[in-house]
Amino acid sequence: GHWFLSFLDAIPSADQIRITTSLKSQRGSVWTKNKSVFEHWEIEVTFRVTGRGRIGADGLAIWFTEEQGLEGPVFGAADKWNGVGIFFDSFDNDGKKNNPGVVVVGNNGRLLYDHQNDGSTQALAYCQRDFRNKPYPVRAKITYYQKLLTVLINNGFTPDKEDYEFCAKVEDMVLPPQGYFGISAATGGLADDHDVLSFLTFQLTEPGKEVPTPDAEIPQKDKEKYQEEFEHFQQELDKKKEEFQKEHPDVQGQPADDLFETVSDRELRQIFEGQNRIHLEIKQLNRQLNMILDEQRRYVSAVTDEFARRAGVPDQQGQISQQEIDRVVKTQEEVLRQVNDMRSSMADTLRLVSGAQHPGSAAGVYETTQHFNDIKEHLHVVKRDIEHLVQRNMPSNEKSKCPDLPPFPSCLSTMHFFVFVAVQTVLFVGYIMYRSQQEAAAKKFF
């Protein structure tokens, strides 16, 4: 296991460590006492960044460095580190309106961090994520394996601990073979509470290699030392609690009132739960739309390859076998089935919106409008991709001639049939989008 050492304004407790409190010009950091000897590793960090203001500062950083970090100007830690820092930057110093964001910055021990530009001139990777004031803790999963650094973020919108989204990756990244893990935070003119709930480290091994034997048990002397430090931290915490109660006697007894949920708290909780279900439904809808697009791309590729192959054989130009037509029909039926699934998911989403939206609440109307705009945007993407595929496969200077096919009473070219399939799909998606807009507009008046 790893044992942590805190610096400056970090306050440990039984279930979390407050790296900085929401006071101006605070700095705090927590580092492992022993070096990590893992060649490949993965860490999972759970934290909260909360503040009363619409804008917070400065941010939080996760570190892997050759030497144990000290107090400094880079999110509470020292500059010119040798290793990598993953910065959760809350404040927009350069005025580009791209914060809060996650920045990956490497350093060889010689560079000074470019704070004024939010590290944009030194960033190896970046993604824009809002991690402040989320209903659930935010989670970061950082993996370093075979010189590839990957950052995944769980944005704290849902209670699902495995709901990670890709944030950034850095290839061919060389880090020290041994180093210390750490986490730090800082506040400036604006201030947030930066709380760390968990920090887990895992060793990764290549397939086929033996897992290294774990280190020997911690000596009894070190155990007693660590236990003594923990008791000291606990006593300091109890002392601060007593001082706070003496300075604020009017606060005593109030926590008992929190056992009962007020009407406003219940409504807020219901709105959060409804919005979480809507978020999950929209993600499912997005996955289904991606499946449809993949199916269409495979279909277009197959038809294009077949058309090109037949174009190279003079005696079979323009001919279509019954087996190919059956395959196209089956593909179209699969597309229609997936569109119907998409329509059912959209109907479920509409019901959830209706249940989650509180009458007369401007916030509910705004959130509902935002979700429908997201759905509309996804449908536009589907429509645009399909139209692009149709235009790419349509001949520019000649029309497809209808060959004589003795086995069939009517003539049909491959391109005509494909255009028919694409147009039918576009009409289906357009119809669903139109119905969604009409139902959304109708709900705004109720």
Side-chain angles (χ1 to χ4, degrees):
H2 290 270
W3 297 87
F4 292 88
L5 177 66
S6 62
F7 291 98
L8 290 176
D9 301 315
I11 303 174
S13 65
D15 55 351
Q16 68 180 31
I17 296 179
R18 175 153 291 179
I19 307 297
T20 62
T21 57
S22 53
L23 299 174
K24 294 182 179 181
S25 303
Q26 300 286 299
R27 292 177 179 177
S29 63
V30 178
W31 295 84
T32 55
K33 283 191 171 182
N34 301 320
K35 271 192 175 183
S36 169
V37 295
F38 301 158
E39 181 181 5
H40 305 131
W41 45 263
E42 180 178 275
I43 59 175
E44 294 182 6
V45 185
T46 306
F47 62 91
R48 287 182 182 271
V49 179
T50 55
R52 296 183 179 181
R54 185 177 59 86
I55 302 174
D58 277 328
L60 177 144
I62 301 173
W63 302 92
F64 178 77
T65 58
E66 187 175 24
E67 299 296 334
Q68 192 178 73
L70 301 175
E71 182 268 338
V74 185
F75 298 97
D79 210 334
K80 294 185 178 181
W81 68 94
N82 184 12
V84 65
I86 297 90
F87 304 150
F88 293 79
D89 194 346
S90 303
F91 189 73
D92 190 6
N93 289 288
D94 57 6
K96 294 182 178 179
K97 299 182 179 180
N98 54 356
N99 291 79
V102 182
V103 187
V104 180
V105 179
N107 200 331
N108 58 3
R110 302 175 183 176
L111 301 178
L112 286 172
Y113 179 63
D114 185 8
H115 228 307
Q116 294 302 318
N117 293 309
D118 291 328
S120 59
T121 59
Q122 303 163 330
L124 301 176
Y126 169 83
C127 74
Q128 190 167 355
R129 293 287 186 277
D130 187 2
F131 46 82
R132 297 182 67 249
N133 297 326
K134 297 305 177 185
Y136 298 95
V138 177
R139 299 175 183 272
K141 180 183 291 187
I142 303 167
T143 305
Y144 181 68
Y145 184 74
Q146 294 183 345
K147 297 184 180 180
L148 175 64
L149 184 76
T150 306
V151 181
L152 304 178
I153 302 296
N154 182 331
N155 55 20
F157 277 122
T158 67
D160 185 5
K161 296 181 180 180
E162 297 301 322
D163 188 19
Y164 285 100
E165 297 179 352
F166 174 79
C167 172
K169 71 175 180 178
V170 181
E171 298 179 347
D172 297 326
M173 187 166 195
V174 179
L175 294 178
Q178 299 182 7
Y180 295 90
F181 290 103
I183 187 166
S184 66
T187 63
L190 300 174
D192 286 332
D193 289 324
H194 297 87
D195 301 322
V196 178
L197 283 67
S198 67
F199 194 115
L200 304 177
T201 60
F202 303 92
Q203 180 178 8
L204 304 179
T205 57
E206 297 181 13
K209 286 190 175 182
E210 295 184 0
V211 179
T213 56
D215 297 335
E217 291 188 0
I218 301 175
Q220 185 65 29
K221 183 178 180 181
D222 291 342
K223 285 185 178 179
E224 294 176 357
K225 178 182 177 182
Y226 296 145
Q227 184 64 28
E228 183 180 350
E229 289 184 0
F230 176 76
E231 292 176 355
H232 174 71
F233 285 141
Q234 197 68 35
Q235 292 173 1
E236 289 291 331
L237 180 63
D238 294 339
K239 185 184 298 184
K240 290 183 178 181
K241 287 182 179 178
E242 293 177 0
E243 292 176 356
F244 178 81
Q245 291 177 356
K246 291 179 180 179
E247 295 175 359
H248 305 82
D250 54 327
V251 181
Q252 296 183 8
Q254 289 186 5
D257 298 336
D258 296 337
L259 298 175
F260 302 97
E261 187 178 43
T262 64
V263 176
S264 59
D265 290 340
R266 182 170 63 253
E267 290 180 351
L268 184 61
R269 177 178 56 81
Q270 291 174 348
I271 290 174
F272 273 137
E273 292 175 353
Q275 296 296 330
N276 290 336
R277 290 195 297 269
I278 292 171
H279 177 74
L280 294 176
E281 288 291 337
I282 291 177
K283 291 187 67 174
Q284 179 66 23
L285 177 62
N286 191 24
R287 283 193 290 266
Q288 291 180 351
L289 290 174
N290 289 334
M291 289 173 58
I292 294 175
L293 289 176
D294 292 339
E295 186 70 23
Q296 290 290 343
R297 291 189 183 100
R298 287 194 297 268
Y299 165 73
V300 170
S301 178
V303 171
T304 303
D305 293 343
E306 183 65 20
F307 186 78
R309 185 180 65 82
R310 288 186 174 276
V313 183
D315 58 343
Q316 292 185 356
Q317 264 191 342
Q319 295 185 4
I320 305 176
S321 66
Q322 183 64 35
Q323 183 179 3
E324 291 172 340
I325 293 181
D326 292 340
R327 186 169 65 250
V328 172
V329 171
K330 288 181 180 179
T331 303
Q332 178 67 5
E333 290 175 351
E334 179 67 18
V335 171
L336 292 178
R337 185 184 65 79
Q338 292 179 354
V339 171
N340 287 330
D341 292 342
M342 179 184 66
R343 184 179 181 185
S344 300
S345 298
M346 188 172 294
D348 294 339
T349 303
L350 293 176
R351 286 196 297 271
L352 287 173
V353 171
S354 178
Q357 183 178 355
H358 187 268
S361 173
V365 174
Y366 175 78
E367 292 292 336
T368 303
T369 305
Q370 287 295 108
H371 287 301
F372 277 117
N373 288 336
D374 292 340
I375 296 173
K376 183 177 178 181
E377 182 179 352
H378 289 311
L379 295 177
H380 276 302
V381 171
V382 175
K383 182 178 178 181
R384 186 171 63 252
D385 286 351
I386 293 176
E387 290 176 348
H388 174 69
L389 293 175
V390 174
Q391 295 175 0
R392 186 181 65 182
N393 290 276
M394 281 290 292
S396 58
N397 55 359
E398 62 178 6
K399 296 182 179 179
S400 298
K401 296 183 180 179
C402 184
D404 295 331
L405 297 176
F408 302 95
S410 62
C411 58
L412 180 65
S413 68
T414 303
M415 189 55 61
H416 280 137
F417 196 87
F418 169 70
V419 172
F420 171 75
V421 171
V423 171
Q424 186 176 2
T425 304
V426 172
L427 290 176
F428 239 107
V429 174
Y431 171 74
I432 294 173
M433 183 176 64
Y434 173 76
R435 283 290 303 274
S436 301
Q437 291 177 343
Q438 292 296 320
E439 293 178 5
K443 288 182 179 294
K444 291 182 180 180
F445 296 99
F446 296 97

